[in-house]
PDB file of all heavy atoms in Angstrom:
ATOM      1  N   PHE A 652      54.597  25.323 140.692  1.00  0.00           N
ATOM      2  CA  PHE A 652      53.187  25.496 140.661  1.00  0.00           C
ATOM      3  C   PHE A 652      52.475  24.411 141.382  1.00  0.00           C
ATOM      4  O   PHE A 652      51.442  24.584 142.046  1.00  0.00           O
ATOM      5  CB  PHE A 652      52.680  25.693 139.237  1.00  0.00           C
ATOM      6  CG  PHE A 652      53.089  26.963 138.521  1.00  0.00           C
ATOM      7  CD1 PHE A 652      54.168  26.925 137.623  1.00  0.00           C
ATOM      8  CD2 PHE A 652      52.645  28.203 138.930  1.00  0.00           C
ATOM      9  CE1 PHE A 652      54.573  28.062 137.053  1.00  0.00           C
ATOM     10  CE2 PHE A 652      53.082  29.384 138.347  1.00  0.00           C
ATOM     11  CZ  PHE A 652      54.058  29.258 137.370  1.00  0.00           C
ATOM     12  N   SER A 656      50.092  24.762 144.797  1.00  0.00           N
ATOM     13  CA  SER A 656      48.703  24.352 144.739  1.00  0.00           C
ATOM     14  C   SER A 656      48.334  23.409 145.845  1.00  0.00           C
ATOM     15  O   SER A 656      47.080  23.168 146.057  1.00  0.00           O
ATOM     16  CB  SER A 656      48.386  23.741 143.369  1.00  0.00           C
ATOM     17  OG  SER A 656      49.139  22.546 143.214  1.00  0.00           O
ATOM     18  N   LYS A 676      69.141  25.950 146.100  1.00  0.00           N
ATOM     19  CA  LYS A 676      69.868  25.436 147.259  1.00  0.00           C
ATOM     20  C   LYS A 676      71.177  24.795 146.840  1.00  0.00           C
ATOM     21  O   LYS A 676      72.202  25.035 147.555  1.00  0.00           O
ATOM     22  CB  LYS A 676      69.001  24.481 147.967  1.00  0.00           C
ATOM     23  CG  LYS A 676      69.634  24.010 149.352  1.00  0.00           C
ATOM     24  CD  LYS A 676      68.887  23.047 150.087  1.00  0.00           C
ATOM     25  CE  LYS A 676      69.616  22.523 151.368  1.00  0.00           C
ATOM     26  NZ  LYS A 676      68.822  21.473 151.946  1.00  0.00           N
ATOM     27  N   VAL A 699      92.254  26.596 168.233  1.00  0.00           N
ATOM     28  CA  VAL A 699      90.857  27.078 167.875  1.00  0.00           C
ATOM     29  C   VAL A 699      89.859  25.946 167.949  1.00  0.00           C
ATOM     30  O   VAL A 699      90.253  24.790 167.825  1.00  0.00           O
ATOM     31  CB  VAL A 699      90.967  27.631 166.434  1.00  0.00           C
ATOM     32  CG1 VAL A 699      91.791  28.848 166.368  1.00  0.00           C
ATOM     33  CG2 VAL A 699      91.348  26.593 165.462  1.00  0.00           C
ATOM     34  N   SER A 722      74.322  50.099 151.559  1.00  0.00           N
ATOM     35  CA  SER A 722      74.383  50.773 150.236  1.00  0.00           C
ATOM     36  C   SER A 722      73.119  50.845 149.545  1.00  0.00           C
ATOM     37  O   SER A 722      72.735  51.843 148.881  1.00  0.00           O
ATOM     38  CB  SER A 722      75.492  50.035 149.335  1.00  0.00           C
ATOM     39  OG  SER A 722      74.960  48.744 149.020  1.00  0.00           O
ATOM     40  N   SER A 772      60.079  57.476 157.951  1.00  0.00           N
ATOM     41  CA  SER A 772      60.823  58.347 158.794  1.00  0.00           C
ATOM     42  C   SER A 772      61.838  59.220 158.114  1.00  0.00           C
ATOM     43  O   SER A 772      62.134  60.211 158.645  1.00  0.00           O
ATOM     44  CB  SER A 772      61.532  57.471 159.934  1.00  0.00           C
ATOM     45  OG  SER A 772      62.408  56.554 159.280  1.00  0.00           O
ATOM     46  N   GLU A 782      48.975  71.024 156.477  1.00  0.00           N
ATOM     47  CA  GLU A 782      47.667  70.631 157.113  1.00  0.00           C
ATOM     48  C   GLU A 782      47.945  69.779 158.337  1.00  0.00           C
ATOM     49  O   GLU A 782      47.087  69.881 159.305  1.00  0.00           O
ATOM     50  CB  GLU A 782      46.813  69.748 156.053  1.00  0.00           C
ATOM     51  CG  GLU A 782      46.214  70.629 154.934  1.00  0.00           C
ATOM     52  CD  GLU A 782      47.266  71.084 153.938  1.00  0.00           C
ATOM     53  OE1 GLU A 782      48.336  70.459 153.883  1.00  0.00           O
ATOM     54  OE2 GLU A 782      46.867  71.897 153.080  1.00  0.00           O
ATOM     55  N   GLU A 784      50.371  70.184 160.475  1.00  0.00           N
ATOM     56  CA  GLU A 784      50.717  71.180 161.514  1.00  0.00           C
ATOM     57  C   GLU A 784      49.504  71.975 162.029  1.00  0.00           C
ATOM     58  O   GLU A 784      49.363  72.147 163.256  1.00  0.00           O
ATOM     59  CB  GLU A 784      51.811  72.102 160.970  1.00  0.00           C
ATOM     60  CG  GLU A 784      53.168  71.427 160.786  1.00  0.00           C
ATOM     61  CD  GLU A 784      54.205  72.395 160.311  1.00  0.00           C
ATOM     62  OE1 GLU A 784      53.858  73.423 159.695  1.00  0.00           O
ATOM     63  OE2 GLU A 784      55.374  72.145 160.441  1.00  0.00           O
ATOM     64  N   SER A 817      47.620  59.747 170.506  1.00  0.00           N
ATOM     65  CA  SER A 817      48.018  58.568 169.721  1.00  0.00           C
ATOM     66  C   SER A 817      46.881  58.105 168.717  1.00  0.00           C
ATOM     67  O   SER A 817      47.172  57.620 167.724  1.00  0.00           O
ATOM     68  CB  SER A 817      48.405  57.450 170.721  1.00  0.00           C
ATOM     69  OG  SER A 817      47.291  57.063 171.491  1.00  0.00           O
ATOM     70  N   GLU A 818      45.618  58.267 169.183  1.00  0.00           N
ATOM     71  CA  GLU A 818      44.518  57.787 168.373  1.00  0.00           C
ATOM     72  C   GLU A 818      44.259  58.755 167.169  1.00  0.00           C
ATOM     73  O   GLU A 818      43.765  58.366 166.132  1.00  0.00           O
ATOM     74  CB  GLU A 818      43.212  57.664 169.197  1.00  0.00           C
ATOM     75  CG  GLU A 818      43.265  56.521 170.178  1.00  0.00           C
ATOM     76  CD  GLU A 818      41.963  56.413 170.993  1.00  0.00           C
ATOM     77  OE1 GLU A 818      41.208  57.403 171.015  1.00  0.00           O
ATOM     78  OE2 GLU A 818      41.813  55.384 171.767  1.00  0.00           O
ATOM     79  N   ASN A 819      44.593  60.095 167.340  1.00  0.00           N
ATOM     80  CA  ASN A 819      44.304  61.060 166.310  1.00  0.00           C
ATOM     81  C   ASN A 819      45.542  61.230 165.482  1.00  0.00           C
ATOM     82  O   ASN A 819      45.857  62.428 165.148  1.00  0.00           O
ATOM     83  CB  ASN A 819      43.874  62.358 166.913  1.00  0.00           C
ATOM     84  CG  ASN A 819      42.570  62.216 167.589  1.00  0.00           C
ATOM     85  OD1 ASN A 819      41.815  61.383 167.268  1.00  0.00           O
ATOM     86  ND2 ASN A 819      42.283  63.053 168.570  1.00  0.00           N
ATOM     87  N   ASN A 824      45.689  63.811 153.392  1.00  0.00           N
ATOM     88  CA  ASN A 824      44.958  63.616 152.155  1.00  0.00           C
ATOM     89  C   ASN A 824      45.808  64.117 150.971  1.00  0.00           C
ATOM     90  O   ASN A 824      46.033  65.364 150.818  1.00  0.00           O
ATOM     91  CB  ASN A 824      43.649  64.420 152.149  1.00  0.00           C
ATOM     92  CG  ASN A 824      42.813  64.199 150.880  1.00  0.00           C
ATOM     93  OD1 ASN A 824      43.322  63.637 149.972  1.00  0.00           O
ATOM     94  ND2 ASN A 824      41.558  64.697 150.951  1.00  0.00           N
ATOM     95  N   GLU A 841      69.656  69.051 152.036  1.00  0.00           N
ATOM     96  CA  GLU A 841      70.502  69.097 150.896  1.00  0.00           C
ATOM     97  C   GLU A 841      71.682  68.047 151.095  1.00  0.00           C
ATOM     98  O   GLU A 841      72.039  67.403 150.122  1.00  0.00           O
ATOM     99  CB  GLU A 841      71.083  70.455 150.652  1.00  0.00           C
ATOM    100  CG  GLU A 841      70.121  71.441 150.200  1.00  0.00           C
ATOM    101  CD  GLU A 841      70.691  72.887 150.092  1.00  0.00           C
ATOM    102  OE1 GLU A 841      71.741  73.039 150.682  1.00  0.00           O
ATOM    103  OE2 GLU A 841      69.991  73.810 149.450  1.00  0.00           O
ATOM    104  N   LYS A 847      74.816  63.042 144.539  1.00  0.00           N
ATOM    105  CA  LYS A 847      76.252  62.825 144.253  1.00  0.00           C
ATOM    106  C   LYS A 847      76.816  61.697 145.050  1.00  0.00           C
ATOM    107  O   LYS A 847      76.588  61.603 146.228  1.00  0.00           O
ATOM    108  CB  LYS A 847      77.106  64.042 144.446  1.00  0.00           C
ATOM    109  CG  LYS A 847      76.687  65.196 143.522  1.00  0.00           C
ATOM    110  CD  LYS A 847      77.578  66.413 143.771  1.00  0.00           C
ATOM    111  CE  LYS A 847      77.221  67.613 142.887  1.00  0.00           C
ATOM    112  NZ  LYS A 847      77.998  68.780 143.193  1.00  0.00           N
ATOM    113  N   ALA A 858      78.193  45.717 145.841  1.00  0.00           N
ATOM    114  CA  ALA A 858      77.806  44.392 146.119  1.00  0.00           C
ATOM    115  C   ALA A 858      78.827  43.335 145.534  1.00  0.00           C
ATOM    116  O   ALA A 858      79.176  42.462 146.159  1.00  0.00           O
ATOM    117  CB  ALA A 858      76.360  44.047 145.525  1.00  0.00           C
ATOM    118  N   VAL A 862      81.256  40.990 147.866  1.00  0.00           N
ATOM    119  CA  VAL A 862      81.215  39.517 147.756  1.00  0.00           C
ATOM    120  C   VAL A 862      82.629  38.951 147.478  1.00  0.00           C
ATOM    121  O   VAL A 862      83.065  37.980 148.111  1.00  0.00           O
ATOM    122  CB  VAL A 862      80.209  39.067 146.670  1.00  0.00           C
ATOM    123  CG1 VAL A 862      80.395  37.610 146.390  1.00  0.00           C
ATOM    124  CG2 VAL A 862      78.770  39.378 147.051  1.00  0.00           C
ATOM    125  N   LEU A 868      88.695  37.080 151.908  1.00  0.00           N
ATOM    126  CA  LEU A 868      88.938  37.026 153.355  1.00  0.00           C
ATOM    127  C   LEU A 868      88.671  35.560 153.944  1.00  0.00           C
ATOM    128  O   LEU A 868      89.536  35.127 154.744  1.00  0.00           O
ATOM    129  CB  LEU A 868      88.073  38.029 154.076  1.00  0.00           C
ATOM    130  CG  LEU A 868      88.324  38.270 155.563  1.00  0.00           C
ATOM    131  CD1 LEU A 868      89.790  38.654 155.772  1.00  0.00           C
ATOM    132  CD2 LEU A 868      87.344  39.226 156.163  1.00  0.00           C
ATOM    133  N   TRP A 870      89.115  32.950 152.261  1.00  0.00           N
ATOM    134  CA  TRP A 870      90.121  32.062 151.696  1.00  0.00           C
ATOM    135  C   TRP A 870      91.503  32.250 152.402  1.00  0.00           C
ATOM    136  O   TRP A 870      92.180  31.283 152.621  1.00  0.00           O
ATOM    137  CB  TRP A 870      90.321  32.483 150.243  1.00  0.00           C
ATOM    138  CG  TRP A 870      91.316  31.543 149.434  1.00  0.00           C
ATOM    139  CD1 TRP A 870      92.634  31.792 149.340  1.00  0.00           C
ATOM    140  CD2 TRP A 870      90.982  30.292 148.821  1.00  0.00           C
ATOM    141  NE1 TRP A 870      93.136  30.713 148.591  1.00  0.00           N
ATOM    142  CE2 TRP A 870      92.185  29.860 148.289  1.00  0.00           C
ATOM    143  CE3 TRP A 870      89.884  29.585 148.602  1.00  0.00           C
ATOM    144  CZ2 TRP A 870      92.372  28.673 147.548  1.00  0.00           C
ATOM    145  CZ3 TRP A 870      89.981  28.392 147.841  1.00  0.00           C
ATOM    146  CH2 TRP A 870      91.146  27.942 147.352  1.00  0.00           C
ATOM    147  N   VAL A 875      96.434  33.504 157.501  1.00  0.00           N
ATOM    148  CA  VAL A 875      96.860  34.560 158.438  1.00  0.00           C
ATOM    149  C   VAL A 875      97.177  33.935 159.796  1.00  0.00           C
ATOM    150  O   VAL A 875      98.123  34.320 160.426  1.00  0.00           O
ATOM    151  CB  VAL A 875      95.707  35.629 158.520  1.00  0.00           C
ATOM    152  CG1 VAL A 875      96.044  36.621 159.637  1.00  0.00           C
ATOM    153  CG2 VAL A 875      95.524  36.355 157.177  1.00  0.00           C
ATOM    154  N   LEU A 876      96.338  33.046 160.153  1.00  0.00           N
ATOM    155  CA  LEU A 876      96.578  32.325 161.502  1.00  0.00           C
ATOM    156  C   LEU A 876      97.864  31.452 161.429  1.00  0.00           C
ATOM    157  O   LEU A 876      98.608  31.428 162.419  1.00  0.00           O
ATOM    158  CB  LEU A 876      95.419  31.437 161.840  1.00  0.00           C
ATOM    159  CG  LEU A 876      94.098  32.204 162.255  1.00  0.00           C
ATOM    160  CD1 LEU A 876      93.096  31.213 162.783  1.00  0.00           C
ATOM    161  CD2 LEU A 876      94.362  33.307 163.289  1.00  0.00           C
ATOM    162  N   ALA A 879     100.601  33.977 161.822  1.00  0.00           N
ATOM    163  CA  ALA A 879     100.665  34.415 163.163  1.00  0.00           C
ATOM    164  C   ALA A 879     101.354  33.348 164.125  1.00  0.00           C
ATOM    165  O   ALA A 879     102.153  33.638 165.001  1.00  0.00           O
ATOM    166  CB  ALA A 879      99.281  34.690 163.748  1.00  0.00           C
TER     167      ALA A 879
END
Side-chain angles (χ1 to χ4, degrees):
F652 292 107
S656 63
K676 180 184 178 182
V699 294
S722 65
S772 59
E782 287 73 15
E784 293 181 336
S817 62
E818 289 177 350
N819 294 335
N824 181 353
E841 290 175 346
K847 295 180 180 179
V862 170
L868 188 57
W870 184 271
V875 172
L876 290 188

